Amino acid sequence: MDWGLFLNTAWKGGLKLALIVFFILVPLMIILELMRQTKALGWLTERVHPVTGRIGFQKEALIPLLAGFLFGISYGAGVLIPEARSQSISKRQIFLVAVFLAICHAMIEDTLLFMAVGANGLYLFSSRLILALVITYLTSRLIYRFRLKGLTDA
Amino acid sequence: MTGSSESLATQSSLALRLKSRIKSRYGKITVDGFFKGLEAFWLLVKIMLPVYFIITFLKFTFILEALARFFSPYMQIFGLPGGAALAIVLGNTVNLYAAIAVIASLKMSSPQVTILAVMLAVSHSLPMEITITQKMRTKYVTILFLRLSVSALVGMALKQILL
C-alpha cells in the first residue's frame, strides 16, 4: 500500500469535502432562516402539508424534509440535528424524516448524475419517490399504533 | 416561529453584537442564518471527515475488490452482469461518483443501467450517511436494513418490469 499517495488523497479530499459542505450549507441555512422568519415558510408549509400530513409528517418536520429531499442527507441532517437538539421536533417525527430521506434524497443531484450515464430519469425519480411515500406511511402507522420505541431510539 | 428554533450560535456574543449594528430586519435574519450555518457546518464536518478518512483508506486496500468478486455471481438476480458488483460495492461504501465511474466502463443495456441506478440511488455511501442519520438519534441498524433490503427488492422488481 502506498502511504504517501493515501495521505495526499485523504487530506486533499477531506479539505475539498469540508469546503463543499461549507459553501452549500451556509447559504442554505441563510435562505432557510429568511424563509422561517418571514411568511414564505408558512406559505410553503400550507401547500405541502396536505400531502405530507397524510403520510404522517407534522409541520415542523417539513424544513429538514425539504432540505434533504432537494440537497441530500448531509444537508438535511445539517438542518435537522440542531432542530432535534432544540427539541422543537419529536423523536418519532425525526425517525420518519430519517426513513423518508433514507430512500429519497438529493433528488436533483442523484437523478442528473445517473441520467448522465444513461439511466431513465423518470423511472429513477418516480420509483424512489413512490417507495419513500409508501414506506414512510407504513412506518408512521406502525410506530403510532404499536409504539415501537426500540425501532426509533438510538 | 422564531422562539422554538433559537440556537446557541445565534445567541453568541459575536452574533448579538453584529445584529445590534444592523438596522435592516433582513440583515439581522441573514446574520442569524449565517451563524446557524456555521454551527451546522461544524457539526457535519466533525462527523464526515473521520468517516471519509476511513473509507479512503479502504479504497487503497484490496478489501473492496474482494467484496465485489464475492458478490459478482449474485448479480443475475437483478439481471445485471457480474461486473456490476463492483459498482454496487463502491457505491455503497465510497460514494456514487466511484460507482458512476464503474458504470461508464461497463457494457450494459439501458434498462440494465436504469435498474442499477435505482438500486444505487436507494442505497449508497452507507458509512457516511448512516453515521449522519445516527446523529439524528435514529438507530442505524434500522436504516441500514431498510436501505439494503429496499434496494435489493426494487432491483428484483425492476428486472421483472424492464427486462
Side-chain angles (χ1 to χ4, degrees):
Chain A
M1 181 174 158
D2 188 345
W3 283 97
L5 188 63
F6 162 65
L7 288 175
N8 198 20
T9 321
W11 88 260
K12 274 186 189 156
L15 189 67
K16 200 175 147 200
L17 182 70
L19 283 175
I20 293 174
V21 172
F22 182 87
F23 282 109
I24 295 180
L25 196 58
V26 172
L28 179 66
M29 291 301 266
I30 293 176
I31 294 169
L32 284 175
E33 198 59 30
L34 282 165
M35 287 177 72
R36 207 195 318 253
Q37 294 194 27
T38 56
K39 281 180 182 152
L41 191 69
W43 182 87
L44 190 66
T45 316
E46 291 304 321
R47 295 294 170 289
V48 191
H49 189 65
V51 181
T52 51
R54 198 154 291 175
I55 57 168
F57 287 113
Q58 281 156 17
K59 283 180 180 170
E60 63 267 20
L62 280 179
I63 312 169
L65 197 65
L66 275 173
F69 178 77
L70 295 174
F71 301 105
I73 269 196
S74 330
Y75 303 114
V79 176
L80 198 137
I81 297 170
E83 297 218 358
R85 291 189 180 166
S86 71
Q87 298 188 328
S88 61
I89 176 169
S90 75
K91 272 186 178 173
R92 281 178 184 167
Q93 285 294 308
I94 295 172
F95 182 68
L96 281 187
V97 173
V99 167
F100 186 91
L101 290 186
I103 293 164
C104 173
H105 62 256
M107 293 299 269
I108 305 171
E109 189 195 339
D110 287 3
T111 309
L112 290 177
L113 201 62
F114 282 114
M115 280 171 76
V117 287
N120 183 325
L122 189 67
Y123 267 105
L124 188 55
F125 193 94
S126 54
S127 56
R128 283 176 91 189
L129 185 59
I130 293 167
L131 276 173
L133 291 173
V134 171
I135 290 170
T136 311
Y137 173 72
L138 293 177
T139 314
S140 82
R141 295 304 296 269
L142 268 178
I143 57 179
Y144 282 100
R145 176 161 302 178
F146 298 106
R147 302 170 187 280
L148 296 176
K149 247 196 141 212
L151 207 70
T152 59
D153 287 357
Chain B
M1 271 198 100
T2 37
S4 60
S5 57
E6 286 298 348
S7 71
L8 288 174
T10 55
Q11 289 165 345
S12 76
S13 62
L14 186 61
L16 289 177
R17 227 181 314 153
L18 258 174
K19 274 197 281 185
S20 70
R21 291 221 184 144
I22 297 172
K23 290 248 165 60
S24 134
R25 180 177 165 230
Y26 294 106
K28 284 183 204 240
I29 301 176
T30 306
V31 173
D32 273 347
F34 179 77
F35 278 90
K36 276 193 179 180
L38 282 187
E39 190 182 43
F41 163 75
W42 180 235
L43 212 71
L44 270 188
V45 160
K46 272 192 299 189
I47 306 168
M48 290 170 89
L49 281 185
V51 182
Y52 175 80
F53 288 135
I54 294 168
I55 293 303
T56 311
F57 178 79
L58 275 183
K59 251 198 322 190
F60 276 81
T61 65
F62 61 92
I63 298 170
L64 298 180
E65 267 173 60
L67 257 177
R69 218 168 299 139
F70 174 79
F71 281 120
S72 64
Y74 302 105
M75 286 301 111
Q76 60 191 26
I77 301 172
F78 315 114
L80 298 173
L86 187 62
I88 289 189
V89 168
L90 286 182
N92 278 292
T93 52
V94 184
N95 57 35
L96 283 180
Y97 295 95
I100 293 280
V102 178
I103 295 175
S105 72
L106 288 172
K107 282 216 163 27
M108 289 191 290
S109 67
S110 75
Q112 283 179 321
V113 177
T114 302
I115 294 174
L116 187 53
V118 176
M119 289 178 69
L120 278 170
V122 170
S123 170
H124 59 250
S125 313
L126 293 177
M128 184 71 85
E129 295 192 342
I130 294 291
T131 318
I132 291 170
T133 22
Q134 201 193 3
K135 292 289 168 188
M136 293 163 35
R137 301 194 182 133
T138 300
K139 233 184 190 173
Y140 71 94
V141 207
T142 322
I143 302 292
L144 182 70
F145 173 76
L146 178 74
R147 293 186 73 169
L148 285 174
S149 52
V150 169
S151 172
L153 288 175
V154 83
M156 290 189 270
L158 282 178
K159 179 193 175 190
Q160 301 303 321
I161 299 169
L162 292 173
L163 290 186

